[in-house]
Amino acid sequence: MDQHSISQSLLNVILVCAESALTLVLRFDPKLRQAAYPLTKNTTVVSIRTYLPHTQIYATFTSKGVLLDSELPAERLEPDVVINAYSTQLINALVSNNTKQVEKLAMRGASETVTQVQNFFMQLGVASLLQGLLKNFKHNKTSNTEKPEENSLEKTKEMYKTRIQEQQNQINALTIANRHLEISHKELQSKQKMTIIALIIAIIIAIISFIVR
């Protein structure tokens, strides 16, 4: 097996891994799903051509996720958007949600579709995910410091007062327990997204390192 065949086989394996990672990210990130929706609705095909090293992959947005392949889908004559960029530019765009970094990617296609692809890249950026994590952390911290509202109901009988107080204590305990569960769930989702994005970046770097060899 020659070097080209080995590189192509490795690329196909990596694309499958990256495709699975993107599917998980879309599952746990509602904002990313929202950014992908218009692309998915039109089954948009994006061709990504990188230089140093030279690679070309096709990303097809479908209801099942973002499908990655080294060849154009058989039913399509040409992609909707073509991205030409150096590998470093592509990595910078994936790592950062900086508008300037995304705009450095030369995109060719219908202006509306290009804008939709740029929005997707912006939401996919690691910086955007970090901002979401910090936002959740601040929200959770604020929620933990909030004091439960006092019961303003005037109690006319001692028996009713005792019973209402007991019920209030039970509600407070359940509220606190539920809040802890929500915080744990959000932290788990954030960790999963960060791990998946880091995996995608590592895969891209691995492709570049292997081909450059």
Side-chain angles (χ1 to χ4, degrees):
M1 184 178 294
D2 57 23
Q3 183 67 28
H4 174 73
S5 299
I6 295 176
S7 299
Q8 187 62 39
S9 298
L10 178 61
L11 177 61
N12 290 336
V13 172
I14 293 176
L15 288 179
V16 171
C17 295
E19 181 181 301
S20 300
L22 279 173
T23 300
L24 288 176
V25 174
L26 285 167
R27 178 181 178 184
F28 290 107
D29 191 339
K31 290 185 178 180
L32 185 61
R33 287 200 304 273
Q34 185 177 359
Y37 175 75
L39 299 170
T40 300
K41 183 178 179 181
N42 297 320
T43 317
T44 304
V45 177
V46 178
S47 172
I48 304 176
R49 301 172 183 171
T50 62
Y51 306 100
L52 297 179
H54 174 73
T55 57
Q56 181 170 2
I57 62 175
Y58 296 91
T60 305
F61 290 81
T62 71
S63 58
K64 297 180 180 179
V66 182
L67 306 181
L68 302 177
D69 202 341
S70 58
E71 297 181 357
L72 183 69
E75 68 275 8
R76 300 295 297 271
L77 298 177
E78 61 181 12
D80 298 291
V81 175
V82 177
I83 300 177
N84 293 289
Y86 288 99
S87 299
T88 53
Q89 291 177 320
L90 181 61
I91 292 175
N92 287 337
L94 289 172
V95 171
S96 172
N97 65 331
N98 188 299
T99 303
K100 293 182 178 180
Q101 294 295 338
V102 176
E103 289 178 348
K104 285 182 180 179
L105 301 177
M107 297 190 185
R108 181 163 49 85
S111 58
E112 183 179 357
T113 308
V114 167
T115 300
Q116 293 169 353
V117 173
Q118 289 176 334
N119 291 337
F120 180 79
F121 268 79
M122 288 282 293
Q123 190 59 43
L124 183 62
V126 174
S128 178
L129 294 176
L130 288 175
Q131 289 177 1
L133 179 62
L134 291 175
K135 183 177 179 181
N136 287 335
F137 175 77
K138 291 179 180 179
H139 174 72
N140 293 336
K141 185 176 181 181
T142 302
S143 298
N144 286 335
T145 58
E146 291 179 353
K147 295 181 179 179
E149 294 184 0
E150 295 181 356
N151 194 329
S152 60
L153 181 64
E154 184 179 357
K155 302 171 182 63
T156 57
K157 295 182 179 181
E158 188 62 27
M159 181 181 64
Y160 289 152
K161 179 179 179 179
T162 302
R163 183 175 301 175
I164 290 175
Q165 187 60 45
E166 290 176 351
Q167 292 176 347
Q168 187 64 43
N169 290 338
Q170 292 176 353
I171 292 174
N172 289 340
L174 290 175
T175 301
I176 293 173
N178 184 58
R179 188 171 297 162
H180 283 312
L181 289 176
E182 289 179 354
I183 292 173
S184 299
H185 181 65
K186 289 180 180 178
E187 290 179 347
L188 178 60
Q189 286 185 330
S190 297
K191 290 179 181 179
Q192 287 176 329
K193 289 192 290 186
M194 290 299 301
T195 301
I196 293 168
I197 290 298
L199 176 60
I200 294 174
I201 294 174
I203 289 173
I204 294 174
I205 294 175
I207 295 175
I208 295 173
S209 300
F210 182 85
I211 298 179
V212 167
R213 283 186 210 167

